[in-house]
């Protein structure tokens, strides 16, 4: 197994960091790695915001409720961004549209690929990272804090820094439940694999919390997905020019 694969397989989300801030050189290195990711049709429909203003970080923490949004080496926010494309089109009197679902998918994929490149680069440098989807708890307010124009939507954040703990790694679904060759496997074909996985996840939580928690993966995600969450996202997307009106 080569060193890149070892690094990928060692990934874990880290949430506690020293007070040391990332240097300008490190930030440029990470953003450069992010920009080297694949991009659909060379559109590059994303931007990366660095948040260093203490008041802005505090305000974003209040949206996410997670302390490490405020206390980290650096906070990045990945933005689906067609604003620059729209402004460039205006200069040539061209008429472009971003309100189709495909436009949104392209931006989300572009931003996500860039973010994962950054995550791997950061971990290769000895940094810890954690994705912050909770910035979408109030995307309207997050957009206002970041000064995002129409055509730009805050997708998620990423904190990076020098970790104070190693953290623990959650096992992912088994290969048999994720990889489908030629024809999609129905649930009854992998049910035993998922049940065994559920038990291992339950054992992980029980050991980690000294018996205070022992929930299984399937119960955890069903409970989460059964709740109506972030219903304002659709409205804010449409107001920013995505998905039509």
């Amino acid at each position: 197994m080569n060193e890149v694969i070892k690094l990928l397989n060692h990934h874990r989300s880290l949430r506690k960091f020293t007070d040391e801030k990332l240097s300008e050189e490190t930030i440029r290195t990470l953003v450069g790695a992010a920009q080297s990711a694949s991009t659909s049709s060379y559109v590059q429909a994303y931007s990366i915001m660095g948040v260093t203003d203490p008041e802005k970080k505090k305000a974003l923490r209040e949206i996410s409720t997670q302390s490490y949004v405020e206390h980290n080496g650096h906070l990045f926010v990945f933005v689906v961004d067609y604003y620059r494309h729209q402004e460039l089109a205006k200069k040539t009197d061209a008429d472009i549209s971003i309100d189709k679902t495909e436009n949104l998918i392209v931006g989300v994929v572009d931003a996500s690929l860039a973010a994962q490149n950054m995550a791997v680069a950061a971990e290769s440098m000895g940094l810890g990272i954690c994705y912050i989807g909770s910035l979408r708890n109030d995307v309207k307010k997050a957009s206002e804090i970041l000064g995002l124009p129409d055509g730009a939507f805050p997708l998620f954040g990423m904190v990076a820094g020098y970790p104070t703990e190693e953290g623990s790694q959650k096992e992912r679904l088994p290969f048999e439940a994720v990889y489908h060759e030629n024809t999609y496997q129905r649930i009854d074909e992998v049910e035993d694999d998922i049940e065994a996985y559920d038990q291992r996840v339950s054992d992980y939580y029980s050991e980690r919390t000294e018996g205070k928690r022992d929930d299984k993966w399937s119960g955890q995600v069903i409970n989460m997905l059964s709740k109506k969450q972030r219903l304002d996202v659709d409205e804010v997307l449409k107001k920013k020019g995505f998905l039509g009106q």
Side-chain angles (χ1 to χ4, degrees):
M1 185 181 295
N2 66 44
E3 293 304 312
V4 175
I5 295 174
K6 287 181 182 178
L7 178 67
L8 292 170
N9 288 343
H10 185 71
H11 168 71
R12 58 206 63 204
S13 295
L14 297 176
R15 299 172 174 85
K16 293 183 179 180
F17 308 97
T18 69
D19 294 332
E20 184 177 356
K21 302 304 179 185
L22 300 193
S23 68
E24 180 69 22
E25 180 183 1
T26 297
I27 293 167
R28 285 185 171 274
T29 297
L30 293 177
V31 173
Q35 288 189 268
S36 297
S38 297
T39 170
S40 179
S41 300
Y42 204 35
V43 174
Q44 303 178 81
Y46 68 93
S47 285
I48 304 170
M49 297 199 63
V51 186
T52 58
D53 184 304
E55 293 304 314
K56 288 181 181 289
K57 291 180 79 170
K58 181 179 179 182
L60 291 172
R61 174 192 175 170
E62 290 174 355
I63 291 174
S64 73
T65 73
Q66 297 163 317
S67 62
Y68 42 92
V69 171
E70 186 176 2
H71 304 293
N72 50 65
H74 200 74
L75 171 61
F76 298 93
V77 179
F78 287 81
V79 177
V80 177
D81 189 0
Y82 283 97
Y83 168 75
R84 69 168 67 89
H85 305 77
Q86 292 176 318
E87 292 302 305
L88 290 169
K90 289 178 184 178
K91 293 181 182 296
T92 59
D93 294 322
D95 183 23
I96 66 171
S97 172
I98 67 164
D99 64 350
K100 302 299 184 288
T101 302
E102 176 65 10
N103 299 122
L104 178 60
I105 290 175
V106 165
V108 169
V109 171
D110 270 13
S112 299
L113 293 175
Q116 189 59 17
N117 255 32
M118 180 183 284
V120 175
E123 290 176 342
S124 77
M125 298 167 69
L127 300 170
I129 69 98
C130 186
Y131 282 92
I132 310 294
S134 56
L135 292 187
R136 297 193 303 277
N137 287 348
D138 190 337
V139 287
K140 183 176 183 293
K141 187 173 180 180
S143 293
E144 292 170 351
I145 292 167
L146 298 170
L148 297 182
D150 288 347
F153 178 83
L155 190 59
F156 51 75
M158 180 192 293
V159 294
Y162 297 93
T164 60
E165 60 181 8
E166 184 178 347
S168 60
Q169 188 176 45
K170 292 181 183 177
E171 180 184 348
R172 298 321 198 226
L173 280 163
F175 175 91
E176 293 76 12
V178 172
Y179 180 72
H180 307 254
E181 191 163 325
N182 297 320
T183 302
Y184 190 94
Q185 298 180 97
R186 302 299 174 178
I187 189 67
D188 57 336
E189 299 177 79
V190 295
E191 199 162 14
D192 290 344
D193 296 305
I194 292 178
E195 286 181 359
Y197 171 69
D198 261 345
Q199 187 57 54
R200 293 194 298 274
V201 170
S202 177
D203 293 341
Y204 163 84
Y205 281 129
S206 182
E207 180 179 352
R208 183 180 174 187
T209 65
E210 297 182 345
K212 296 177 182 178
R213 178 182 178 185
D214 63 355
D215 47 317
K216 298 178 179 180
W217 173 81
S218 58
Q220 185 181 122
V221 296
I222 289 169
N223 180 58
M224 187 268 290
L225 293 172
S226 65
K227 299 176 181 177
K228 293 183 178 180
Q229 296 181 336
R230 299 170 181 162
L231 300 181
D232 60 320
V233 170
D234 183 71
E235 179 183 355
V236 174
L237 276 168
K238 289 177 178 176
K239 285 183 177 179
K240 284 186 164 289
F242 297 94
L243 297 178
Q245 294 295 328

